Amino acid sequence: MSTPAPAPVEVKLNKKKGKANEGINNRLQIVMRSGKYTLGYKTTLKSLRSGKSKLVIISNNCPPLRKSEIEYYAMLAKTGVHHYTGNNVDLGTSCGRYYRVSCMSITDPGDSDIIKAMPEA
């Protein structure tokens, strides 16, 4: 007599941060294909000063002084700021680039609903 083999147990990991990041990554890819954006610190500040920016995304390892300056300009321009959970390498990868991106500005979301989906915006 052989005993039946135990049923395989599925282990579900709780990945809240991963799911939220997945959503913004998909929306960022849509913006890259159909919208307008600027990558980098200098061009982000230029778009904020000119009032063209709709949403600013900052990586989590952006230097504090630079981050506070971008947040200040965004506050003056009444623009939403999203703090990306990954570092600048992850943000560059999610933008489809092979280089690091510490901050970016979305001027036209295109087909994406990224501006409505971000709670800070």
Side-chain angles (χ1 to χ4, degrees):
M1 280 188 151
S2 64
T3 57
V9 178
E10 289 185 32
V11 179
K12 292 185 178 180
L13 299 174
N14 192 2
K15 291 186 177 180
K16 279 188 175 179
K17 197 161 60 169
K19 291 278 187 193
N21 220 12
E22 211 172 273
I24 189 169
N25 286 344
N26 292 339
R27 289 185 176 102
L28 267 177
Q29 287 174 354
I30 296 170
V31 169
M32 294 296 138
R33 272 183 272 141
S34 64
K36 290 185 179 170
Y37 57 91
T38 60
L39 300 177
Y41 172 67
K42 288 167 76 172
T43 56
T44 298
L45 285 185
K46 284 179 188 174
S47 70
L48 280 169
R49 279 196 295 260
S50 65
K52 294 177 184 171
S53 181
K54 304 276 191 304
L55 178 70
V56 175
I57 300 174
I58 305 173
S59 67
N60 69 354
N61 64 341
C62 186
L65 185 65
R66 184 174 286 191
K67 187 184 292 188
S68 64
E69 187 177 4
I70 292 168
E71 287 170 346
Y72 178 69
Y73 274 101
M75 183 261 309
L76 290 176
K78 296 182 177 74
T79 303
V81 176
H82 177 73
H83 296 281
Y84 190 75
T85 52
N87 60 12
N88 54 6
V89 176
D90 298 334
L91 184 57
T93 304
S94 67
C95 292
R97 300 292 185 265
Y98 294 113
Y99 46 83
R100 298 173 298 220
V101 176
S102 66
C103 55
M104 66 176 291
S105 168
I106 297 172
T107 54
D108 176 30
D111 299 331
S112 177
D113 63 340
I114 193 165
I115 293 171
K116 294 180 200 103
M118 295 299 114
E120 295 93 13

